């Protein structure tokens, strides 16, 4: 029970509405963010409001890339934010799933495509089509970023296994109380992974869909030199 995430909120909330305030509360600067499962760019406006200089957006479904790039243009490019440090590009779209190692895997697309996953969904969810997509570890694209956002529909542990957590300060990870995909993660298994690396939960937001929660994790303080 030590790793269990307890959700105390009584009403549903959207994590992106609270991200600017949370960054200030925990003292994490808006340097750069990697979003796994960027979909059609619904959170780009929120990242821009936080004044993140660098956005790395990972999305395996090619059908969404045009809308995602348009959101980056309308919001992030138009904001005229300062260039990222160290010559990093301000906006990068990675047309791939995030995973443990490089390769290819099958994306299972569901009727409600926000529930599409690299893992087979459990009933009553169904698969309407399958697509072979590239897989890239987050560690290969997270340069210049200090925040991670994960919406991987059950594949969160695979995403985290391919991420260099030591280079990040904050992570917002969606999870569910019980697995909704074959071999999928749960809130407890995600918590075990994060606490095992010294991270601690600092906020959580329940979805309207019962049992689904976004949890914000803060990295351990760097060891003194």
């Amino acid at each position: 029970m030590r790793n269990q995430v307890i959700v105390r909120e009584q009403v549903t909330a959207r994590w992106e509405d609270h991200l600017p305030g949370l960054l200030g509360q925990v003292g994490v600067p808006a340097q750069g963010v990697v979003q796994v499962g960027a979909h059609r760019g619904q959170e780009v406006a929120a990242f821009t409001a936080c004044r993140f200089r660098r956005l790395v957006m990972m999305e395996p479904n090619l059908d969404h890339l045009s809308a995602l790039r348009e959101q980056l243009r309308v919001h992030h490019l138009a904001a005229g934010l300062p260039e990222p440090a160290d010559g990093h590009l301000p906006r990068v779209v990675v047309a791939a799933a995030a995973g443990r190692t490089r390769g290819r895997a099958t994306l299972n697309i569901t009727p409600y495509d926000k529930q599409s996953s690299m893992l087979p969904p459990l009933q009553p969810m169904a698969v309407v089509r399958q697509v072979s997509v590239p897989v890239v570890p987050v560690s290969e694209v997270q340069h210049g970023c200090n925040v991670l956002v994960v919406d991987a529909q059950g594949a969160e542990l695979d995403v985290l296994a391919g991420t260099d957590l030591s280079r990040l300060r904050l992570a917002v990870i969606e999870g569910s109380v019980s697995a909704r995909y074959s071999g999928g993660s749960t809130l407890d298994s995600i918590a075990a992974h994060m606490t095992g690396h010294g991270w601690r939960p600092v906020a959580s937001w329940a979805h309207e869909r019962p049992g689904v929660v976004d949890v914000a994790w803060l990295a351990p303080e760097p060891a003194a030199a």
Side-chain angles (χ1 to χ4, degrees), residues 132-199:
S132 176
V133 299
V135 178
V136 175
V138 171
S139 61
E140 294 189 14
V141 300
Q142 68 181 85
H143 315 291
C145 296
N146 61 341
V147 174
L148 173 69
V149 174
V150 182
D151 181 357
Q153 299 300 310
E156 292 79 14
L157 293 182
D158 288 333
V159 172
L160 293 171
T163 300
D164 185 352
L165 289 175
S166 69
R167 290 154 54 193
L168 299 170
R169 295 297 303 146
L170 186 74
V172 179
I173 307 172
E174 180 184 296
S176 58
V177 172
S178 58
R180 298 183 295 130
Y181 300 84
S182 179
S185 62
T186 64
L187 284 169
D188 283 355
S189 63
I190 295 169
H193 183 94
M194 297 303 285
T195 57
H197 286 79
W199 290 57

Side-chain angles (χ1 to χ4, degrees), residues 3-203:
N3 293 323
Q4 187 175 22
V5 174
I6 299 173
V7 183
R8 295 184 173 87
E9 283 76 7
Q10 299 301 310
V11 296
T12 58
R14 296 175 61 87
W15 62 265
E16 58 267 31
D17 294 336
H18 297 269
L19 186 59
L22 178 62
L23 291 171
Q25 290 169 19
V26 299
V28 173
Q31 176 182 334
V33 59
V34 180
Q35 184 177 22
V36 175
H39 201 242
R40 298 172 63 85
Q42 293 92 324
E43 287 81 38
V44 169
F47 294 142
T48 304
C50 292
R51 301 189 64 78
F52 280 105
R53 298 184 179 191
R54 175 166 160 84
L55 303 184
V56 178
M57 316 298 282
M58 301 189 72
E59 174 54 51
N61 191 333
L62 299 183
D63 294 344
H64 299 325
L65 298 190
S66 177
L68 172 57
R69 291 191 173 102
E70 179 65 5
Q71 289 297 305
L72 289 169
R73 185 189 69 80
V74 169
H75 295 289
H76 199 256
L77 174 61
L81 297 173
E83 292 292 310
D86 301 323
H88 294 301
L89 295 175
R91 290 164 296 280
V92 177
V93 174
V94 182
R100 296 173 182 266
T101 58
R102 264 191 176 266
R104 296 194 70 86
T106 299
L107 172 64
N108 299 283
I109 299 178
T110 58
Y112 178 54
D113 70 359
K114 280 191 173 184
Q115 296 177 335
S116 299
S117 175
M118 303 310 297
L119 301 175
L122 300 175
Q123 294 184 345
M125 285 191 288
V127 176
V128 295
R129 64 187 176 101
Q130 295 180 313
V131 182
S132 176
V133 299
V135 178
V136 175
V138 171
S139 61
E140 294 189 14
V141 300
Q142 68 181 85
H143 315 291
C145 296
N146 61 341
V147 174
L148 173 69
V149 174
V150 182
D151 181 357
Q153 299 300 310
E156 292 79 14
L157 293 182
D158 288 333
V159 172
L160 293 171
T163 300
D164 185 352
L165 289 175
S166 69
R167 290 154 54 193
L168 299 170
R169 295 297 303 146
L170 186 74
V172 179
I173 307 172
E174 180 184 296
S176 58
V177 172
S178 58
R180 298 183 295 130
Y181 300 84
S182 179
S185 62
T186 64
L187 284 169
D188 283 355
S189 63
I190 295 169
H193 183 94
M194 297 303 285
T195 57
H197 286 79
W199 290 57
R200 61 184 178 89
V202 290

